[in-house]
């Protein structure tokens, strides 16, 4: 029998700035946070989702809005991990088609990144933040999958 730990939600946020180390530090933050929250089974998926959402904010929103910043948020609540990235660009995220001739080493530029998010997350969407841009979010289930407990 698997025991599920249910307690109050846990939250952390990290500022994203346009530097060469931001994505690496973001991945480290996500990995360490999920380890502290004992969410090892979703760490790989969460790293990919958080990395893609952060990369999109850095590549698109912060390029178009110099001097602004974005934020990564992680919320652990019973059965779900909510990953958010808030950025200053009000434009909605646009999943692009996956192109056969795209560079597989750069999924964000090829349009595959948000397709990956939609595959890994239970759901994802975006919410406008009037006067402040938008928040893109993804939900990952943290409940044990049948047969893995």
């Amino acid at each position: 029998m698997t025991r599920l730990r249910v307690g109050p939600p846990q939250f952390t946020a990290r500022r994203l700035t346009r530097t060469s180390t931001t994505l690496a530090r973001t991945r480290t933050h996500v990995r360490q946070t999920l380890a502290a929250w004992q969410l090892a089974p979703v760490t790989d998926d969460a790293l990919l989702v958080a990395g893609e959402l952060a990369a999109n904010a850095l590549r698109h929103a912060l390029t178009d809005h110099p001097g602004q910043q974005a934020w990564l948020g992680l919320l652990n609540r019973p059965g779900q991990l909510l990953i958010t990235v808030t950025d200053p660009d009000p434009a909605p995220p646009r999943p692009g088609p996956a192109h056969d001739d795209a560079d597989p080493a750069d999924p964000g530029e090829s349009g595959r990144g948000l397709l990956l998010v939609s595959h890994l997350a239970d759901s994802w969407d975006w919410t406008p933040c009037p006067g402040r841009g938008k928040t893109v979010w993804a939900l990952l289930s943290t409940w044990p999958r049948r047969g893995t407990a």
Side-chain angles (χ1 to χ4, degrees), residues 2 4 13 23 30 39 42 51-52 54 66 77-78 87 97 101 105 108 119 127 131 135 140 148:
T2 301
L4 298 176
L23 289 177
V30 170
L39 294 178
V42 298
E52 176 56 31
R77 54 190 184 190
D87 68 52
D101 61 345
H119 176 74
T127 303
T135 297
L140 299 177
T148 61

Side-chain angles (χ1 to χ4, degrees), residues 62-88:
L62 295 186
T63 299
D64 295 341
H65 298 85
Q68 299 287 322
Q69 57 191 5
W71 288 87
L72 167 78
L74 300 173
L75 175 65
N76 177 21
R77 54 190 184 190
Q80 294 180 321
L81 175 66
L82 176 64
I83 302 169
T84 66
V85 172
T86 301
D87 68 52

Side-chain angles (χ1 to χ4, degrees), residues 90-117:
R94 292 189 189 99
H99 303 288
D100 290 336
D101 61 345
D103 179 359
D106 189 2
E109 286 295 321
S110 70
R112 294 182 184 155
L114 288 174
L115 294 175
L116 179 66
V117 170

